Amino acid sequence: MGLLTGKKALIFGIANNKSIAYGIAKKFKEEGAELAVSYAGEKLESRVVPIAEELGAKLCVPCDVTCDEDIAKAFGIIAKDFGNIDILVHSIAFAPGEALKGRYIDTARDAFKLSMDISAYSLVALCKAAEPIMNEWGSVINMSYYGAEKVVTNYNLMGVAKAALECSTRYLACDLGEKKVRINSISAGPIKTLAASGIGGFKNILAHIEERSPLHQNVTIEDVGDTAAFLASDLSKTITGETLHVDCGYNVVGI
Ligand code: NAD
Ligand code: 0WE
């Protein structure tokens, strides 16, 4: 018996097989969960459908989280063809490239709105849509980063969006708690995914973590998948509203 045998998981945020959401999905499957996945839109369809098949996902639905109609449609299909769920994974973020360099003070209003919409509000919208089909003792998981807590050069607008995401996790924990549903954030160390590929000096960030973190290494999508499986399972049934660091201990280090 796997840790997640008999549970159904709905996963948002697979772009390719380097995605954190892919690492999570793979572990969930190994632990016996049934999977449904959602991708951002047509552009990703040809890339995500084969991955969904490889993972043995029962369902693969498009959903651009900036669009209320997309969310309603996706959850309509999920309710009908997949049924009630036990686990919801949100692994989605975006900020315009120009907002991830230079001075935070130069952030444009439109960039702020878009990034907060995709990276933070979407968690609220997905929780609201999932609430009617979420089983008791369900678990919601989302992805954050250290830049929510401390200034990380160039993370800028995304840091503010992640702070909103982590804070939303606490407020949502109180709302969903009434339904015996839990929600937690995983604050992961840096990983070379598609979302990290455009970032200048990412290699230096990885080298810095290897040098300074207590465990002197970086984390992998498999490491994040392991912690996500714990948070999705009944082993963590009294943990909610929490931000759990999966970062080789980097966040605890001062001078
Ligand atoms: P990724 O590019 O593989 O995943 C980001 C996902 O967001 C993609 O699947 C993309 O399609 C989706 N997305 C963007 N806009 C969307 C929209 N409008 N509607 C629906 N989906 C949309 O990169 P990743 O590193 O796996 O990122 C996943 C999550 O992990 C993000 O929240 C990211 O901030 C977080 N995170 C990443 C790192 C890292 O170093 N890679 C570290 C900590 C946290
Ligand atoms: O959350 C993230 C990255 C999220 C992200 C990445 C991009 C790149 C391409 C959001 N939007 C975009 N928009 C794009 O156009 N991480 C935790 C990875 C990350 O990104 C950084 C980091 C780290 C770590 C950006 C600057 C500094 C450090």
Side-chain angles (χ1 to χ4, degrees):
M1 270 263 290
L3 200 53
L4 304 176
T5 298
K7 292 192 191 284
K8 290 205 254 183
L10 171 59
I11 300 177
F12 286 78
I14 297 178
N16 57 34
N17 62 6
K18 303 264 191 301
S19 293
I20 291 175
Y22 175 83
I24 294 173
K26 197 147 185 231
K27 180 66 180 179
F28 281 9
K29 183 177 169 62
E30 282 167 21
E31 292 297 336
E34 268 184 68
L35 306 181
V37 304
S38 175
Y39 57 96
E42 259 117 69
K43 263 205 260 165
L44 280 172
E45 185 174 354
S46 61
R47 254 196 287 169
V48 178
V49 169
I51 293 175
E53 278 169 15
E54 176 215 313
L55 288 166
K58 298 264 147 37
L59 201 62
C60 183
V61 290
C63 179
D64 176 343
V65 296
T66 61
C67 175
D68 289 334
E69 198 190 321
D70 265 33
I71 295 175
K73 262 194 206 160
F75 275 87
I77 295 167
I78 290 151
K80 186 165 74 65
D81 297 344
F82 193 59
N84 283 7
I85 62 173
D86 304 284
I87 304 161
L88 173 67
V89 174
H90 176 289
S91 184
I92 291 171
F94 182 78
E98 64 266 24
L100 297 177
K101 53 179 179 245
R103 302 176 79 210
Y104 174 67
I105 205 171
D106 293 324
T107 303
R109 192 187 298 271
D110 280 355
F112 192 98
K113 279 188 191 165
L114 182 64
S115 182
M116 283 299 224
D117 189 16
I118 296 178
S119 313
Y121 178 74
S122 64
L123 177 68
V124 184
L126 293 188
C127 284
K128 175 84 178 169
E131 191 177 23
I133 60 162
M134 201 97 193
N135 289 327
E136 258 195 17
W137 300 110
S139 171
V140 181
I141 296 164
N142 60 77
M143 296 305 310
S144 191
Y145 176 63
Y146 182 66
E149 305 166 56
K150 292 286 188 285
V151 173
V152 172
T153 306
N154 294 329
Y155 199 61
N156 295 4
L157 175 53
M158 274 308 307
V160 175
K162 291 302 190 191
L165 185 80
E166 290 183 9
C167 193
S168 270
T169 296
R170 293 186 280 273
Y171 281 88
L172 289 166
C174 284
D175 293 342
L176 295 173
E178 296 165 2
K179 308 276 168 78
K180 296 282 187 229
V181 170
R182 303 182 292 108
I183 176 166
N184 294 288
S185 293
I186 293 176
S187 183
I191 305 173
K192 186 112 182 93
T193 62
L194 187 63
S197 65
I199 311 300
F202 202 77
K203 273 203 189 116
N204 299 330
I205 295 172
L206 294 176
H208 174 87
I209 300 297
E210 216 176 293
E211 201 169 295
R212 299 290 182 90
S213 67
L215 294 175
H216 296 288
Q217 61 181 58
N218 278 287
V219 304
T220 64
I221 61 170
E222 289 77 19
D223 296 327
V224 177
D226 288 350
T227 295
F230 162 70
L231 286 177
S233 80
D234 300 339
L235 290 180
S236 60
K237 67 180 172 299
T238 56
I239 302 178
T240 194
E242 187 69 280
T243 299
L244 199 50
H245 293 85
V246 178
D247 68 347
C248 299
Y250 181 75
N251 75 95
V252 308
V253 177
I255 299 172

